[in-house]
Amino acid sequence: MIALLASVDAETEILLNEIEVAGTVTVGSTSLLEGTLRGRRVALCTGGMGKVNAAHAATLLLTRFAPSSIVVFGVGGAYPSSGARIGDVVLAHEEIAGDEGVLTNEGFKDTEFIGIPLLKTTNATIYNTYPAPKSLLEPALRTLRDRELFDNLRVGPFVTLSTCTGTAARARELEECYHGLCENMEGAAVAQVAELHRTPWLELRGISNIVDDRDPSKWDIPRAARAAQHAVIRIVEAWKP
């Protein structure tokens, strides 16, 4: 089984029409759907915006269904120098917890500066950066590169933040710090939960906007959400257990 996790309804509408639903269960206020997508067993959750909701939903999916992997997807904002365009699909080769750390007179410092990792397992000590498992990333890349639909597919670091970037000045600061491809509000939390459960994870986003001075009139969230969901469908369809 493959667990699929997004944050809001707009990011799952197409998938809900594609999945042959076998059943649903509600845990607290969170609903989990089980079914089949293109011949593969999946569990889907629309978990809510932000790190806490994402971590909660990921934990429910992993403990309830024990999937072989988890895919987190949705929309994201691309940094100006990334080369990504609105409507493009991008994949994470690593997730960065971009605002976990300390603000000093010399600027922001991550958790390695503090000396306390966000995650420590028998295999790794992780401060702010979660490397994406190649076992999922490389097949996903091969699948999407074979499709004309994803002509500007890009791979790079994703940055997870609790506060979305709404100024060009802040976008430049984050680019200088992380050299990120795009930002989001959930990915690092899901990556951490997946690592805690020893479950491989994959993250992809459809680009809804370029991170700059905030101007929603320039965004295209529906287009980005469609692109991300179509990519998820292709990846699941090509999945080799």
Side-chain angles (χ1 to χ4, degrees), residues 38 89 139-153 230-239:
R38 302 293 171 94
V89 170
L141 281 170
R142 287 194 297 270
T143 296
L144 298 184
R145 280 176 175 157
D146 285 342
R147 308 280 180 168
E148 293 182 3
L149 184 63
F150 310 106
D151 65 320
N152 194 42
L153 182 71
H230 285 306
V232 168
I233 291 169
R234 300 300 188 277
I235 289 169
V236 169
E237 187 176 36
W239 202 278

Side-chain angles (χ1 to χ4, degrees), residues 17-89:
N17 287 326
E18 290 278 342
I19 293 173
E20 297 178 18
V21 178
T24 60
V25 61
T26 300
V27 183
S29 59
T30 302
S31 294
L32 310 172
L33 178 152
E34 183 179 3
T36 304
L37 176 63
R38 302 293 171 94
R40 308 291 184 193
R41 288 182 62 230
V42 297
L44 173 67
C45 181
T46 307
M49 186 178 73
K51 299 172 190 172
V52 174
N53 283 324
H56 174 64
T59 300
L60 292 179
L61 284 167
L62 296 179
T63 55
R64 181 86 185 187
F65 299 106
S68 63
S69 53
I70 184 166
V71 179
V72 55
F73 63 97
V75 305
Y79 290 109
S81 65
S82 68
R85 308 170 306 209
I86 291 174
D88 285 345
V89 170

Side-chain angles (χ1 to χ4, degrees), residues 5 12 41-43 66 81 107 130 152 155 160 168 187 199 201 220-222 231 241:
L5 175 58
T12 58
R41 288 182 62 230
V42 297
S81 65
Y130 303 84
N152 194 42
V155 185
T160 298
T199 302
W201 60 274
D220 196 337
I221 291 174

Side-chain angles (χ1 to χ4, degrees), residues 94-97 100 110-113 115-133 188-196 201:
E94 63 184 20
E95 251 294 359
I96 301 168
E100 309 291 336
D110 65 17
T111 62
E112 189 168 8
F113 175 85
I116 303 173
L118 293 175
L119 175 65
K120 192 168 185 178
T121 69
T122 55
N123 299 321
T125 298
I126 293 176
Y127 288 95
N128 285 63
T129 301
Y130 303 84
V190 178
Q192 180 163 336
V193 170
E195 294 288 348
L196 285 167
W201 60 274

